[in-house]
Amino acid sequence: MTAIKDMVLVTCESVLPEVEKVAPQELPIKVLEFGLHNHPNKLNERLRECLAEIDRDEHFQVALFGYGLCSEGVVGLKPQRVKMVIPKTDDCIALFLGSRDKYIKQLRREPGTFYLTKGWIEYGETPLAIYNQEVPWTKKYSQEKVHWVARETIRNYKRVALIDTGVYDMTPYEEYAQKTAEVFELNYEVLPGSLDLLKKLIHGPWDENFVVVEPGTEVTKGMF
């Protein structure tokens, strides 16, 4: 296992509260804005830039990515000098739940689930934020139009699930999630989260739950 001092972590700001809970102080962290998730091509571009910077810095031997496949945002990344380690997940929901297996279990139980966490509520353009015209672009439209857009974004969902990772006070986020369920007439549930997958990303072992990319190898969708 590589020493912490030889590693660097790239993550989305939505996962930062959980990352900071498990990451040693000496681990450098590069944080990217949540909004990139809405633009996979831009996410891919920013991740390529981060990887290029890391490749040029000879202090680092391993680049950890606090992302999943994320709408193929990681596809095409190709480290030249460092090793890359990425959780083998579709997105960050499995990171919050603690494993891909737990995510699949929830997916089978209720595929129409809209997941929320502190990061998603604070940084994401959630349906409730759109509905309340709290997102900048909504100011250009009538309340009726905005309400229609908000309902369209969530119309295929049946459940709002707030993930409790145990990192912060849940009270304000419970209120937000409950309000979301109420406005859009959805079921509401709090799910227990886990930091296990993030801990393994940082401390190992990098087993079958991770995509380990050696220098000169390009990340493909098939790896996930």
Side-chain angles (χ1 to χ4, degrees):
M1 183 69 186
T2 307
I4 292 292
K5 66 180 180 65
D6 297 324
M7 299 191 296
V8 59
L9 173 64
V10 181
T11 192
C12 171
E13 61 186 347
S14 68
V15 191
L16 190 59
E18 285 74 18
V19 165
E20 291 181 331
K21 183 69 175 181
V22 298
Q25 288 189 344
E26 62 269 29
L27 177 66
I29 302 174
K30 295 178 179 288
V31 184
L32 303 186
E33 59 271 28
F34 180 89
L36 291 169
H37 279 278
N38 296 324
H39 308 280
N41 289 340
K42 290 184 179 179
L43 173 60
N44 183 266
E45 183 180 337
R46 288 287 287 113
L47 291 176
R48 286 174 187 266
E49 291 172 356
C50 280
L51 181 58
E53 290 173 4
I54 293 167
D55 262 327
R56 289 194 295 268
D57 191 332
E58 295 188 359
H59 289 95
F60 301 127
Q61 301 302 317
V62 177
L64 309 174
F65 280 73
Y67 286 87
L69 183 58
C70 293
S71 300
E72 301 188 27
V74 298
V75 172
L77 298 183
K78 185 178 181 180
Q80 299 302 312
R81 186 185 56 81
V82 300
K83 177 185 294 185
M84 285 178 61
V85 183
I86 313 169
K88 192 180 289 186
T89 64
D90 290 332
D91 52 40
C92 63
I93 301 303
L95 291 178
F96 295 123
L97 291 173
S99 72
R100 187 175 192 175
D101 287 344
K102 289 180 180 178
Y103 173 66
I104 291 174
K105 182 178 179 181
Q106 289 298 326
L107 187 64
R108 289 171 177 165
R109 181 180 164 205
E110 178 49 79
T113 299
F114 190 86
Y115 294 95
L116 289 172
T117 64
K118 174 183 178 179
W120 276 75
I121 290 171
E122 292 184 347
Y123 300 114
E125 292 186 3
T126 67
L128 186 61
I130 294 171
Y131 186 89
N132 291 334
Q133 292 185 290
E134 295 168 351
V135 180
W137 61 262
T138 61
K139 308 297 183 184
K140 300 184 291 185
Y141 302 99
S142 68
Q143 186 180 69
E144 181 181 4
K145 175 68 173 179
V146 169
H147 284 186
W148 178 84
V149 171
R151 292 190 184 282
E152 281 296 297
T153 63
I154 204 168
R155 70 185 178 93
N156 293 323
Y157 293 91
K158 296 180 179 178
R159 176 178 67 156
V160 172
L162 179 66
I163 304 174
D164 182 3
T165 58
V167 174
Y168 42 79
D169 177 18
M170 290 288 288
T171 304
Y173 308 107
E174 286 179 340
E175 293 173 355
Y176 189 97
Q178 287 174 331
K179 183 65 174 178
T180 300
E182 176 187 322
V183 167
F184 299 105
E185 301 178 338
L186 303 173
N187 296 323
Y188 170 68
E189 190 172 352
V190 176
L191 300 178
S194 170
L195 303 179
D196 288 351
L197 194 55
L198 281 173
K199 288 178 181 177
K200 287 182 72 173
L201 173 64
I202 296 170
H203 300 286
W206 300 321
D207 54 19
E208 69 277 2
N209 295 297
F210 297 90
V211 175
V212 179
V213 185
E214 298 294 339
T217 303
E218 183 172 312
V219 178
T220 65
K221 184 178 179 179
M223 292 176 174
F224 292 83

